[in-house]
Amino acid sequence: MMPSRGSSMESTSAEAAERISLLALAWDRKVQVAKLVKSELKVYGKWSIDSAAVGVAWLDDQMLVVLTVTGQLYLFARDGTVIHQTSFSVDGSRGDDLIGYHTHFINVFGNPEKSYHNCVAIRGASIYVLGPMHLVVSRLLPWKERIQVLRKAGDWMGALNMAMTLYDGQAHGVIDLPRTLDAVQEVIMPYLVELLLSYVDEVFSYISVAFCNQIEKLEQLNDTQSRSSSVHTEIKEQFTRVGGVAVEFCVHIKRIDILFEEIFSKFVAVHHRDTFLELLEPYILKDMLGSLPPEIMQALVEHYSSKGWLQRVEQCVLHMDISSLDFNQVVRLCREHALYGALVYLFNKGLDDFRAPLEELLVVLRNCQRENAAALGYRMLVYLKYCFQGLAFPPGHGTLPPTRLPSLRKELMQFLLEESDAQNSQAASSLSVGGIYLNLYHLLELDTEATLDVLRCAFKEDATPLSDIASHDSADANMEADKEQNSMDECQNMLVQNTVNALVHVLDKVFSQINGPAGNDDSGSVETWPSQKDIGHLFEFIAYYVACGKANVSKSVLSQILHYLTSEKNASPSNPTHSVETSRKREKQLLALLEVVPETDWNASDVLHLCESAQFHQVCGLIHTIRHHYLAALDSYMKDFDEPIHAFSFINDTLVQLTDKERAAFRSAVISRIPELVGLSREGTFFLVIDQFSNEASHILSELRSHPKSLFLYLKTVVEVHLYGTLNLSYLRKDDGIIVANGKRVKCHSKGLEAYMERISDFPKLLRSNPVHVTDDMIELYLELLCQYERESVLKFLETFDSYRVEHCLRLCQEYGIIDAAAFLLERVGDVGSALLLTLSGLDDKFLRLETAVGSAVSRVVKGSVNMEHFSTVLNMEEVNDVRNILHACTGLCQRNTPRLNPEESETLWFKLLDSFCRPLMGDERTSEGENDSKMLEDPLCLQEDEEACIIKWRISKSHRGAYILRKLFSQFIKEIVEGMIGYVHLPTIMSKLLSDNGSQEFGDFKLTILGMLGTYSFERRILDTAKSLIEDDTFYTMSVLRRDASHGYAPRSLFCCICNCLLTKNSSSFRVRVFNCGHATHIQCELLENESSSRGSLSGCPLCMPKKNTQRSRNKSVVAENGLVSKFSSRTQPASGTTLHLHESDTFEHSYGIQLLSRFDILNNLQKDQRLAQIENMPQLRLAPPAIYHEKARKGQAGGDTMDVYRLTIPENESHQGFSIVDEYIFICRALM
């Protein structure tokens, strides 16, 4: 244990206190550092070393020196980090000669012990180790010597790394430097600069000597050009490595001036200026070099421009700190070399000027060729889009402040709407005649659609208004923010109107030229702007903002927009889906437009004619509604099959608005159109009926009888609501039927739709007030219609619904030939045989279709080459699935009904199914006569009489190309049937049936079936054998546990009563003794006296083991009922001589369980000593209980602590003086368990 030591360098009292508060301890291979915190030592760090420590000392306040017995010197940090490790052994010394020691102390065994006291000492930066015949002195190198050692050894990378470590203040063991990091950097900086320059000079001289000699040798060879090129490439790589080291070192020590002055001049001196400029690029892109001196920037741009690397130098400019650059010089360089991305970045980041870059780019755009103008124009569009969206340009440079965004949008839009100085196209000259040519037109001419998309970003509403950005401290601030927001909205609306006016100007010029002299219309084959597609984009843009209420247009322009939106020329015949989507989008635009524009600005008749031609049914309905033609409006809405909600919403809204007289006429018209409304949406029609026409429901149902299809759909909805209590109205809630293309709802329509949606949401409440009543006539009518229109749903309906006349439904199913439903009804009435025969009635035809399908499948296969691949293909055929479905249906029918039939009937049922699939394997007998299936459906009674008609006539022909596959397929079917029979029919019966009926057939046809049955039998027998073995083992274990627990007794710990402290034998005529399972014993009379004297009632346990407070029990309960103690004692007089063991009552043993405290070995030893056997009379009979019940009772007994076993001993009077032997003799009492 050594106290902490400090250096003699600059230190404060706080640092001294910190050093004093540390304590280092070392023993064996453990080292521990403790720190004194508030008069308490706490472990600061602990670690292990390789060998036993013999000395420890502090070197400075941060380092710990530890010496080991093997001659190792460790230098640790305070947290246990190894700073350095070395050996201090001297030549010729080893083992005990390494460190001096004495043997003045002895150990616990009296032997002398080696002690290494004062063997190590610290003085400044030196460590003194005392040996038997020598003194070892070690010292820490100063910081400069450490670098010089590495430098002299040629390890320049190590020296530079050590220098950077010292600069960062991360070096350990430095005691000759100041404490603060700034002071350290100031002290070592001159030497670091000198070190770097020396490194560059030495490496440059080495490269010059090495490669000059190599070049001289290559000049003497023939192939000098290729080898000289490779040598120069290698030389450039070497200089690049040196330059990279210099750049990283200068950046690390923050001396960029050294890099661009001394280091750069050295590269220029060796004619590698370009190499130095190129190696700067990766460090600029990594943001390690944020600025360059003007001359270096000039040289970099010129060099990269000569190489054609303008994009790379532009990326470098984007990563530089603008405040440290010569702004004018960089802007000039960007203009000269067309670095427009960097130019935008400089103006935006440096001057917060977003307009000047557009002016620069627009000037270049007007003066360059059309081929080059496209790339520049699209860059302008991207720049504008980023600015309008609040993103910094170029991409990846963050976002703009939200407060700057409104003024920025206004500034850029004003520039786009300003008059251009020059025009450079035919379109510009034509548009400028009699007017102006705006800056916006240049971008529109480049790409109209993309430009309009960018303009939409400029007019997009902000998610966070200024009122939310402003302070909420006072109401005045909120009012000012609201005023500012209103002014900004007005300014934006003004910009939208000006933009729309500019676009209308383009349209006016185009249409004036079209309507002008004929000579102006013939433009030849030259494509001019705007094209028809561009005009369409302009119309959609204008219509969008007019519908939003942000702009106004003249009647003529509005008329042109209406004609465009309803024009059929805009449809795309090559893409019908896209054409439908476009038509729906324009219909929504037209709806929004007509809602905003005054009715006086458009002719309703003309627009109605246009919309009818374009099949804009919603618009037609709107126009008819405006003109109060409600029936015509309803007819228009009913033609819109894609969005039926509008028709029902219109009916709901109109019934609310009309007067009584008009409402009655309209209600009659709606009732007359119920069949068409059902076809439009059966759910919507049902909701309409129960909501508005609940009193006319029967009349509507009678009207629908003349329209069977509509009646079926309506009844289907009624039944679904009756069965499930809900209605699927999701089809009416589609959002695309409510929201227009510009994202806004049509006002008139939105109110009606919202009201209708609210009524739909109240459907459960409406259904509870107006429950649906379904009569038997309605059910039978629906079933008949279901047989006509949805045959596959009949069976599901019959299984779900049970309130119908079975005979009538069976007749309908037989009439329409629905076999699965008819079989279900036959099974329901108990005629299982007829149901099975009916299900099998169509099997012969399916076998024929299966034969044809298999024949066509193997027709292209060479005879004899049919393999398992073809069989797998056949298994997936539709015909095979049809046969398998019938098989599964019949199997399920037999399985469901076997439990309620007698064995003979169930076997007949199963074997009838088995015969149907076995007969095709019995030969090649064919008959041309076929049975008509419809005849079997006419009367179910004939099914039982004409069972022979259901015998399968079809057989597998041996000459058929697919005979092998068919036989294998039927073997698979038979195997499935037999697997279904197992568990319902005895295996011997199945086997005898197969062998008796098919004994003459080939074994291969039934091989799978028989092997499967044998495997099932073997598996079941193995299960039974395993179960029998488990039962036997469990029974043996249970009986062993019961016998073990029922064959031991209890013995008292002492021969004295635990109450009166007398022997268990007294001089009275008869005494009875109670022995508890804890080993204590008492006299019964003593217990009674104790209970009476203490007024505690019946004792609930041993009076010594149980606490007094737990012995008090309910006075109304008997001891037997509560604790399992015996309260019934024999009343008959016991004979004076002899010993009698009283009978245990049977109910006593229900609760007699506990833990044996005295081993049976001790009891037997006591009995053996007396050489007498216990007389045990009337041994109670054991009753078998499951092991789980016994163990549960045993656990309860252990946990309760108040349950005990009771034993009665009758001790004769004449044996009172032989208490010990008598008690031991009669103490063996068997325990009985229930």
Side-chain angles (χ1 to χ4, degrees):
M1 179 177 67
M2 301 293 293
S4 65
R5 299 177 180 271
S7 68
S8 61
M9 300 179 62
E10 306 171 288
S11 60
T12 62
S13 58
E15 293 172 349
E18 176 69 18
R19 289 195 299 271
I20 293 173
S21 63
L22 293 176
L23 183 66
L25 302 96
W27 71 97
D28 196 20
R29 299 186 180 186
K30 305 291 183 182
V31 181
Q32 181 172 307
V33 176
K35 186 176 182 180
L36 185 65
V37 180
K38 295 181 180 180
S39 303
E40 183 181 355
L41 277 176
K42 294 186 177 181
V43 177
Y44 182 80
K46 56 182 179 180
W47 60 92
S48 301
I49 54 179
D50 296 336
S51 56
V54 296
V56 61
W58 284 100
L59 179 63
D60 198 3
D61 59 344
Q62 302 293 329
M63 293 174 291
L64 185 66
V65 178
V66 178
L67 282 76
T68 64
V69 72
T70 57
Q72 295 294 319
L73 180 65
Y74 290 92
L75 192 61
F76 291 104
R78 292 193 305 182
D79 58 353
T81 304
V82 179
I83 300 174
H84 187 67
Q85 178 183 356
T86 185
S87 175
F88 61 87
S89 60
V90 182
D91 296 340
S93 61
R94 61 177 183 174
D96 297 341
D97 298 334
L98 293 177
I99 306 172
Y101 62 90
H102 64 84
T103 57
H104 298 300
F105 301 104
I106 60 176
N107 55 21
V108 294
F109 301 104
N111 299 323
E113 188 77 19
K114 292 181 180 181
S115 300
Y116 299 91
H117 293 96
N118 300 322
C119 62
V120 60
I122 303 294
R123 293 295 182 270
S126 301
I127 304 172
Y128 299 90
V129 180
L130 181 63
M133 302 296 295
H134 58 270
L135 177 66
V136 179
V137 181
S138 301
R139 73 182 180 90
L140 290 175
L141 293 177
W143 67 270
K144 188 177 293 185
E145 290 186 22
R146 298 184 187 185
I147 299 176
Q148 289 175 351
V149 168
L150 296 172
R151 177 178 175 179
K152 291 177 181 179
D155 187 4
W156 283 99
M157 293 298 101
L160 294 173
N161 185 52
M162 175 62 70
M164 289 190 293
T165 304
L166 291 168
Y167 180 84
D168 295 335
Q170 301 295 328
H172 294 284
V174 181
I175 60 176
D176 55 344
L177 284 177
R179 289 290 179 184
T180 62
L181 182 61
D182 294 337
V184 170
Q185 294 175 354
E186 183 179 357
V187 169
I188 68 174
M189 182 59 69
Y191 185 78
L192 299 185
V193 174
E194 186 269 334
L195 176 67
L196 176 63
L197 296 178
S198 300
Y199 164 70
V200 173
D201 290 337
E202 182 167 343
V203 177
F204 276 14
S205 61
Y206 171 78
I207 294 173
S208 177
V209 173
F211 285 97
C212 285
N213 294 334
Q214 190 172 358
I215 292 174
E216 290 178 359
K217 292 179 180 179
L218 290 174
E219 290 178 351
Q220 301 175 2
L221 301 175
N222 297 329
D223 189 10
T224 59
Q225 186 174 0
S226 61
R227 299 198 179 191
S228 176
S229 175
S230 62
V231 170
H232 285 292
T233 302
E234 189 175 353
I235 292 174
K236 184 177 180 180
E237 292 177 356
Q238 294 296 331
F239 280 108
T240 302
R241 292 193 187 98
V242 176
V245 172
V247 170
E248 293 186 11
F249 190 80
C250 291
V251 169
H252 192 89
I253 66 175
K254 299 180 177 61
R255 290 298 302 270
I256 305 299
D257 56 325
I258 301 297
L259 177 66
F260 294 121
E261 292 177 4
E262 284 87 350
I263 303 298
F264 179 65
S265 62
K266 292 181 182 296
F267 272 87
V268 173
V270 295
H271 307 289
H272 276 275
R273 168 180 170 273
D274 297 344
T275 302
F276 181 82
L277 295 175
E278 291 176 11
L279 66 87
L280 296 178
E281 179 185 355
Y283 298 100
I284 295 173
L285 297 180
K286 292 178 182 178
D287 296 325
M288 296 176 64
L289 287 175
S291 62
L292 298 179
E295 62 274 9
I296 301 296
M297 187 69 190
Q298 175 80 22
L300 179 66
V301 174
E302 292 178 353
H303 173 64
Y304 273 57
S305 177
S306 63
K307 293 284 189 178
W309 299 340
L310 294 179
Q311 294 296 328
R312 294 169 61 179
V313 74
E314 185 176 19
Q315 292 298 319
C316 292
V317 174
L318 296 178
H319 284 268
M320 290 184 182
D321 184 10
I322 298 177
S323 61
S324 62
L325 296 176
D326 187 343
F327 188 83
N328 295 327
Q329 181 215 23
V330 178
V331 170
R332 179 179 55 81
L333 292 174
C334 292
R335 286 173 178 168
E336 291 177 356
H337 300 281
L339 304 179
Y340 300 117
L343 187 67
V344 170
Y345 174 75
L346 292 173
F347 276 100
N348 293 351
K349 198 77 172 178
L351 303 178
D352 194 28
D353 187 355
F354 293 85
R355 175 173 174 149
L358 276 181
E359 295 176 351
E360 297 268 355
L361 295 175
L362 191 59
V363 171
V364 178
L365 179 66
R366 289 199 302 258
N367 298 327
C368 65
Q369 298 294 328
R370 185 172 181 84
E371 293 77 10
N372 300 327
L376 185 60
Y378 282 113
R379 175 170 286 194
M380 292 177 63
L381 290 175
V382 173
Y383 170 65
L384 286 170
K385 186 173 183 180
Y386 268 66
C387 292
F388 290 151
Q389 291 180 341
L391 302 175
F393 186 85
H397 285 75
T399 58
L400 302 177
T403 55
R404 179 73 174 91
L405 189 57
S407 60
L408 176 60
R409 290 176 175 175
K410 178 181 177 181
E411 179 183 342
L412 296 181
M413 284 304 304
Q414 287 177 349
F415 168 76
L416 292 176
L417 296 176
E418 290 178 358
E419 184 177 357
S420 180
D421 297 335
Q423 300 87 27
N424 64 333
S425 66
Q426 180 181 356
S429 60
S430 62
L431 288 175
S432 61
V433 175
I436 57 176
Y437 192 86
L438 306 180
N439 293 328
L440 176 63
Y441 295 161
H442 292 285
L443 298 176
L444 287 172
E445 185 179 356
L446 173 69
D447 191 331
T448 304
E449 184 179 6
T451 304
L452 294 177
D453 288 339
V454 172
L455 293 180
R456 289 188 181 94
C457 297
F459 304 137
K460 187 179 296 183
E461 296 181 358
D462 296 333
T464 306
L466 285 178
S467 58
D468 295 338
I469 301 175
S471 173
H472 296 275
D473 295 339
S474 64
D476 295 336
N478 290 334
M479 293 179 62
E480 291 295 331
D482 292 338
K483 290 180 180 179
E484 187 175 355
Q485 184 68 37
N486 293 333
S487 64
M488 289 174 54
D489 293 339
E490 293 177 359
C491 180
Q492 186 183 37
N493 292 338
M494 184 182 65
L495 290 175
V496 173
Q497 183 64 56
N498 294 336
T499 305
V500 169
N501 293 338
L503 300 180
V504 169
H505 175 71
V506 176
L507 296 174
D508 290 342
K509 290 297 182 181
V510 171
F511 285 106
S512 64
Q513 294 175 9
I514 294 176
N515 298 328
N520 297 334
D521 295 339
D522 188 10
S523 59
S525 60
V526 179
E527 182 180 355
T528 60
W529 179 84
S531 63
Q532 290 296 326
K533 185 177 180 181
D534 296 333
I535 293 174
H537 293 312
L538 294 175
F539 276 139
E540 291 178 359
F541 184 88
I542 296 172
Y544 178 89
Y545 287 101
V546 172
C548 292
K550 295 183 178 182
N552 298 316
V553 293
S554 61
K555 293 183 180 180
S556 60
V557 176
L558 179 61
S559 177
Q560 294 171 7
I561 293 175
L562 295 177
H563 279 82
Y564 167 76
L565 294 177
T566 57
S567 176
E568 297 180 358
K569 297 180 181 179
N570 301 315
S572 176
S574 60
N575 191 352
T577 304
H578 178 71
S579 177
V580 172
E581 293 177 356
T582 304
S583 177
R584 294 183 62 184
K585 176 183 176 182
R586 290 180 177 176
E587 184 179 8
K588 300 300 181 182
Q589 288 179 331
L590 188 55
L591 279 171
L593 193 62
L594 294 180
E595 177 60 29
V596 175
V597 177
E599 299 177 18
T600 57
D601 291 350
W602 50 281
N603 190 315
S605 300
D606 294 341
V607 176
L608 180 60
H609 177 69
L610 293 174
C611 293
E612 288 176 350
S613 301
Q615 296 183 353
F616 287 177
H617 303 298
Q618 295 181 29
V619 183
C620 293
L622 175 63
I623 296 174
H624 285 304
T625 304
I626 295 173
R627 301 171 71 177
H628 303 291
H629 298 164
Y630 298 109
L631 295 182
L634 177 58
D635 293 335
S636 298
Y637 283 123
M638 289 176 60
K639 295 177 183 178
D640 190 359
F641 293 97
D642 293 330
E643 299 177 16
I645 188 173
H646 295 286
F648 297 100
S649 173
F650 173 75
I651 295 173
N652 181 76
D653 193 34
T654 305
L655 289 173
V656 174
Q657 296 178 1
L658 294 178
T659 61
D660 294 340
K661 184 176 180 181
E662 294 175 340
R663 186 184 299 112
F666 186 75
R667 288 174 64 90
S668 300
V670 171
I671 292 175
S672 64
R673 289 169 172 80
I674 288 293
E676 291 79 9
L677 289 172
V678 172
L680 187 65
S681 173
R682 61 185 180 91
E683 295 89 354
T685 305
F686 176 78
F687 180 76
L688 176 65
V689 170
I690 65 170
D691 184 29
Q692 301 288 349
F693 302 95
S694 57
N695 297 328
E696 294 91 345
S698 58
H699 173 64
I700 291 173
L701 193 62
S702 62
E703 290 291 333
L704 286 174
R705 289 183 179 272
S706 58
H707 302 81
K709 181 66 174 180
S710 299
L711 178 60
F712 164 69
L713 295 175
Y714 180 77
L715 289 177
K716 181 178 181 180
T717 309
V718 172
V719 172
E720 288 178 354
V721 174
H722 177 70
L723 289 177
Y724 308 111
T726 184
L727 189 63
N728 183 16
L729 297 171
S730 59
Y731 181 68
L732 294 177
R733 294 192 177 101
K734 291 201 308 182
D735 292 338
D736 57 352
I738 300 175
I739 300 178
V740 298
N742 58 8
K744 299 178 69 68
R745 295 174 184 266
V746 184
K747 295 180 181 178
C748 173
H749 284 244
S750 65
K751 292 180 181 179
L753 285 173
E754 289 176 0
Y756 183 68
M757 296 299 292
E758 290 179 2
R759 296 191 71 87
I760 287 178
S761 62
D762 293 337
F763 174 73
K765 186 186 301 183
L766 181 64
L767 191 62
R768 286 193 296 269
S769 60
N770 297 320
V772 178
H773 299 287
V774 180
T775 63
D776 294 341
D777 294 337
M778 292 175 63
I779 292 297
E780 293 175 358
L781 178 60
Y782 171 65
L783 181 61
E784 184 176 359
L785 295 172
L786 193 65
C787 293
Q788 298 178 25
Y789 296 105
E790 288 187 13
R791 299 169 58 89
E792 64 280 358
S793 303
V794 175
L795 177 60
K796 181 179 179 181
F797 171 74
L798 293 174
E799 292 174 345
T800 306
F801 202 82
D802 55 358
S803 179
Y804 51 82
R805 293 184 300 171
V806 178
E807 294 79 5
H808 179 72
C809 294
L810 179 59
R811 183 183 58 80
L812 289 176
C813 294
Q814 292 172 347
E815 180 181 349
Y816 289 98
I818 304 176
I819 295 177
D820 55 352
F824 170 77
L825 294 175
L826 288 172
E827 180 185 1
R828 183 171 178 180
V829 299
D831 194 354
V832 183
S834 299
L836 179 63
L837 292 177
L838 183 59
T839 307
L840 295 173
S841 61
L843 196 59
D844 201 48
D845 292 338
K846 294 188 181 299
F847 286 166
L848 291 173
R849 288 196 293 269
L850 176 62
E851 180 185 24
T852 305
V854 172
S856 60
V858 300
S859 60
R860 292 181 295 272
V861 181
V862 180
K863 187 174 181 180
S865 62
V866 178
N867 51 26
M868 292 304 297
E869 286 188 21
H870 301 93
F871 182 71
S872 301
T873 304
V874 169
L875 284 177
N876 297 324
M877 294 173 59
E878 182 181 358
E879 291 78 7
V880 176
N881 291 330
D882 292 340
V883 175
R884 185 176 281 111
N885 291 336
I886 294 178
L887 187 149
H888 291 165
C890 295
T891 303
L893 176 68
C894 296
Q895 289 177 346
R896 288 191 301 270
N897 291 275
T898 296
R900 63 186 185 88
L901 298 175
N902 58 48
E904 293 77 11
E905 292 177 345
S906 64
E907 289 177 5
T908 303
L909 207 64
W910 279 106
F911 292 154
K912 192 177 299 181
L913 171 62
L914 184 62
D915 290 341
S916 300
F917 285 85
C918 289
R919 289 186 184 278
L921 300 173
M922 290 184 176
D924 194 14
E925 301 175 1
R926 294 178 177 266
T927 60
S928 58
E929 300 178 359
E931 299 293 334
N932 191 359
D933 293 339
S934 60
K935 178 181 177 181
M936 301 182 61
L937 291 168
E938 291 177 358
D939 187 4
L941 297 177
C942 72
L943 295 173
Q944 203 71 10
E945 300 173 358
D946 301 333
E947 290 185 8
E948 297 299 328
C950 290
I951 297 177
I952 302 301
K953 304 297 182 181
W954 179 79
R955 300 291 186 273
I956 298 176
S957 175
K958 295 182 179 179
S959 60
H960 192 273
R961 292 180 58 88
Y964 170 76
I965 291 181
L966 288 173
R967 301 186 75 88
K968 189 173 183 61
L969 190 61
F970 272 81
S971 299
Q972 188 76 22
F973 290 155
I974 295 172
K975 181 176 180 294
E976 293 182 16
I977 295 173
V978 172
E979 288 176 353
M981 295 172 66
I982 295 175
Y984 298 92
V985 182
H986 296 298
L987 283 178
T989 307
I990 301 174
M991 184 65 74
S992 62
K993 172 67 176 177
L994 288 175
L995 296 179
S996 61
D997 293 354
N998 304 280
S1000 60
Q1001 304 299 322
E1002 296 182 5
F1003 175 72
D1005 295 339
F1006 299 90
K1007 180 179 178 180
L1008 290 176
T1009 304
I1010 295 175
L1011 292 179
M1013 293 174 61
L1014 294 176
T1016 303
Y1017 168 77
S1018 176
F1019 179 70
E1020 291 181 353
R1021 178 165 182 173
R1022 191 179 301 113
I1023 290 177
L1024 291 175
D1025 292 341
T1026 305
K1028 177 175 177 292
S1029 176
L1030 290 175
I1031 292 172
E1032 290 176 351
D1033 293 343
D1034 187 63
T1035 304
F1036 177 78
Y1037 168 77
T1038 304
M1039 295 304 298
S1040 299
V1041 171
L1042 292 175
R1043 180 180 177 278
R1044 182 186 65 218
D1045 294 330
S1047 60
H1048 67 84
Y1050 291 108
R1053 296 182 181 179
S1054 173
L1055 298 179
F1056 295 92
C1057 174
C1058 64
I1059 296 178
C1060 63
N1061 292 326
C1062 296
L1063 287 173
L1064 294 177
T1065 59
K1066 289 188 176 181
N1067 296 327
S1068 59
S1069 60
S1070 177
F1071 286 96
R1072 286 171 294 177
V1073 176
R1074 188 195 303 269
V1075 180
F1076 297 94
N1077 57 356
C1078 59
H1080 295 110
T1082 62
H1083 296 107
I1084 297 297
Q1085 293 181 354
C1086 294
E1087 283 190 49
L1088 297 176
L1089 294 175
E1090 177 72 14
N1091 292 339
E1092 292 176 359
S1093 62
S1094 60
S1095 300
R1096 292 185 291 120
S1098 300
L1099 192 63
S1100 60
C1102 176
L1104 296 182
C1105 297
M1106 301 299 296
K1108 297 291 184 180
K1109 61 181 178 180
N1110 292 334
T1111 58
Q1112 183 67 27
R1113 298 294 183 184
S1114 176
R1115 299 172 184 265
N1116 298 327
K1117 295 183 180 180
S1118 65
V1119 180
V1120 175
E1122 177 136 354
N1123 302 295
L1125 301 178
V1126 177
S1127 60
K1128 299 178 181 179
F1129 306 105
S1130 177
S1131 59
R1132 57 192 179 93
T1133 306
Q1134 301 297 331
S1137 61
T1139 312
T1140 304
L1141 181 65
H1142 283 253
L1143 274 175
H1144 287 36
E1145 299 294 337
S1146 62
D1147 57 350
T1148 304
F1149 303 107
E1150 293 290 342
H1151 305 279
S1152 60
Y1153 51 90
I1155 302 175
Q1156 178 182 353
L1157 298 178
L1158 190 63
S1159 66
R1160 287 176 289 176
F1161 179 75
D1162 294 334
I1163 297 175
L1164 294 175
N1165 283 339
N1166 293 333
L1167 293 175
Q1168 187 176 4
K1169 290 178 182 178
D1170 202 72
Q1171 297 296 325
R1172 281 182 292 179
L1173 297 176
Q1175 298 180 9
I1176 304 174
E1177 298 178 357
N1178 300 325
M1179 186 67 177
Q1181 189 174 0
L1182 298 179
R1183 287 189 297 178
L1184 183 63
I1189 297 177
Y1190 163 73
H1191 290 301
E1192 182 180 357
K1193 294 172 69 175
R1195 284 194 300 269
K1196 289 182 180 179
Q1198 295 175 14
D1202 59 351
T1203 305
M1204 62 212 71
D1205 296 325
V1206 181
Y1207 305 92
R1208 305 176 184 84
L1209 296 177
T1210 302
I1211 303 177
E1213 181 180 2
N1214 56 359
E1215 299 286 348
S1216 59
H1217 298 289
Q1218 301 178 4
F1220 182 84
S1221 59
I1222 293 174
V1223 172
D1224 283 353
E1225 180 177 354
Y1226 295 108
I1227 205 65
F1228 186 82
I1229 303 170
C1230 292
R1231 179 184 181 202
L1233 291 174
M1234 297 302 296

